[in-house]
């Protein structure tokens, strides 16, 4: 039976060596939750934060069927620790499981060139302004689908003010791009970066991403970056990160999504 684990040190060994800050957030009890197949003698564990579910230990079907934890979402992302977990995901979900690839960037605290980052901030095209996310902008991020993930995992502004951090680009009064903390862990944040479709490829994400990294460095926070696609990898590398490796992720559409497609 899937059991929520409060004493996360009991299952932390299952995730040993997995350099994923969303897992750290769960194990550190900053955000998210950890589950196991047993509270007394666990053989497998599941870390859940936002859209992501990380599966570790011995493959276990009850933990694989974690899409119910995101029943209100259109999809969840299952990240298997091993090929055996991946095969179990495919067996459980069939055509609902879309196998994809994500891209990990190295975590190198001393890699950033502050002068270059300030140049990126100052390269913001004419007609646009850059602002840090305050209470007003926090709420505005939640009003449109493209920007919802910039602040979506924080229940309210006070929680975001204490643990989150972000910068946005505006054209006039219109919110058009942003870089913010998708999540928080002890020692850093996981970056979420989004731009409204009609404003992409104008250098906006480059400028607000650079600003967020600089703000993190000022606060002794590490700005972790994990890429959904090669465009995100290229942007990260432009800002100073280095590519680490690809890893498998399964996109699981929930039944509500299937009925509409």
């Amino acid at each position: 039976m899937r059991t929520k684990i409060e004493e996360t040190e009991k299952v932390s060994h299952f995730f040993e060596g997995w350099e994923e800050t969303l897992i750290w957030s769960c194990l550190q009890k900053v955000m998210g939750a950890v589950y196991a197949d047993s509270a007394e003698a666990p053989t497998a564990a599941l870390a859940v934060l936002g859209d992501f579910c990380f599966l570790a230990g011995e493959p276990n079907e009850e933990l694989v069927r974690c899409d119910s934890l995101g029943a209100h979402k259109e999809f969840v992302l299952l990240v298997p620790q091993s090929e055996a977990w991946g095969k179990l995901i495919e067996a459980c979900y069939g055509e609902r499981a879309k196998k994809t690839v994500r891209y990990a960037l190295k975590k190198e605290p001393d890699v950033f060139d502050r002068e270059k980052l300030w140049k990126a901030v100052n390269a913001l095209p004419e007609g646009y302004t850059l602002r840090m996310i305050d209470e007003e902008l926090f709420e505005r991020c939640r009003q449109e689908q493209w920007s919802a993930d910039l602040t979506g995992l924080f229940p309210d502004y006070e929680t975001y003010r204490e643990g989150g951090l972000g910068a946005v680009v505006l054209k006039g009064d219109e919110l058009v791009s942003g870089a913010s903390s998708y999540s928080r862990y002890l020692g850093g944040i996981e970056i979420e970066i989004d731009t409204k479709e009609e404003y992409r490829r104008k250098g906006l994400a480059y400028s607000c991403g650079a600003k967020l990294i600089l703000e993190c460095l000022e606060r002794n926070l590490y700005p972790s970056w994990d890429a959904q696609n090669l465009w995100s990898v290229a942007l990260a590398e432009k800002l100073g990160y280095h590519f680490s490796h690809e890893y498998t992720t399964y996109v699981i559409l929930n039944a509500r999504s299937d009925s509409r497609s």
Side-chain angles (χ1 to χ4, degrees):
M1 182 170 64
R2 185 173 66 207
T3 304
K4 189 173 182 180
I5 303 296
E6 300 297 341
E7 297 177 50
T8 57
E9 62 275 8
K10 289 183 176 180
V11 297
S12 60
H13 61 283
F14 291 120
F15 300 98
E16 205 167 305
W18 202 340
E19 288 205 328
E20 174 53 66
T21 71
L22 275 66
I23 295 173
W24 301 345
S25 295
C26 296
L27 293 176
Q28 295 165 358
K29 296 185 278 190
V30 177
M31 300 178 79
V34 179
Y35 301 84
D37 58 329
S38 164
E40 293 75 29
T43 64
L46 164 69
V48 180
L49 178 53
D51 297 328
F52 293 83
C53 301
F54 299 89
L55 295 151
E58 296 179 13
N60 178 284
E61 184 171 340
E62 282 190 287
L63 296 187
V64 162
R65 294 193 180 280
C66 59
D67 59 322
S68 60
L69 297 170
H72 62 292
K73 299 176 179 291
E74 292 192 357
F75 65 88
V76 292
L77 302 173
L78 271 56
V79 187
Q81 187 181 56
S82 65
E83 187 176 339
W85 275 108
K87 288 181 178 178
L88 183 56
I89 290 169
E90 292 171 7
C92 288
Y93 289 101
E95 292 183 358
R96 286 179 61 200
K98 179 184 177 184
K99 189 176 183 179
T100 63
V101 171
R102 289 184 66 93
Y103 305 89
L105 282 301
K106 293 180 181 179
K107 292 173 175 54
E108 302 170 296
D110 302 318
V111 77
F112 300 106
D113 183 335
R114 292 178 190 240
E115 184 178 349
K116 182 179 178 181
L117 290 172
W118 275 117
K119 286 180 179 178
V121 172
N122 295 327
L124 189 69
E126 188 175 348
Y128 297 88
T129 56
L130 186 60
R131 284 176 54 188
M132 297 302 293
I133 294 177
D134 57 15
E135 186 168 7
E136 176 210 350
L137 292 170
F138 173 86
E139 296 298 341
R140 288 182 61 188
C141 286
R142 302 159 94 82
Q143 293 171 6
E144 296 187 66
Q145 186 174 355
W146 74 266
S147 56
D149 284 343
L150 294 173
T151 62
L153 291 190
F154 295 84
D156 51 50
Y157 178 68
E158 284 305 307
T159 307
Y160 182 84
R161 185 175 62 82
E162 292 175 10
L165 188 65
V168 296
V169 174
L170 299 127
K171 185 175 185 182
D173 193 46
E174 183 182 7
L175 183 66
V176 296
S177 186
S180 181
S181 45
Y182 179 76
S183 56
R184 175 66 187 266
Y185 66 100
L186 299 179
I189 67 168
E190 185 68 38
I191 289 179
E192 172 74 23
I193 193 156
D194 297 292
T195 300
K196 202 169 186 176
E197 188 171 1
E198 57 266 41
Y199 291 96
R200 292 173 186 169
R201 307 198 185 284
K202 297 179 183 293
L204 307 182
Y206 180 51
S207 292
C208 61
K211 176 63 172 173
L212 179 55
I213 293 168
L214 286 164
E215 293 290 335
C216 285
L217 297 179
E218 286 299 311
R219 293 165 172 76
N220 293 316
L221 298 173
Y222 183 74
S224 178
W225 189 299
D226 187 86
Q228 180 183 3
N229 51 48
L230 292 174
W231 174 88
S232 182
V233 173
L235 177 59
E237 291 178 334
K238 192 175 179 182
L239 289 164
Y241 295 89
H242 296 107
F243 176 73
S244 176
H245 61 277
E246 297 181 358
Y247 65 93
T248 298
T249 302
Y250 289 87
V251 181
I252 310 298
L253 296 176
N254 69 25
R256 183 167 58 90
S257 295
D258 282 350
S259 67
R260 290 204 305 259
S261 60

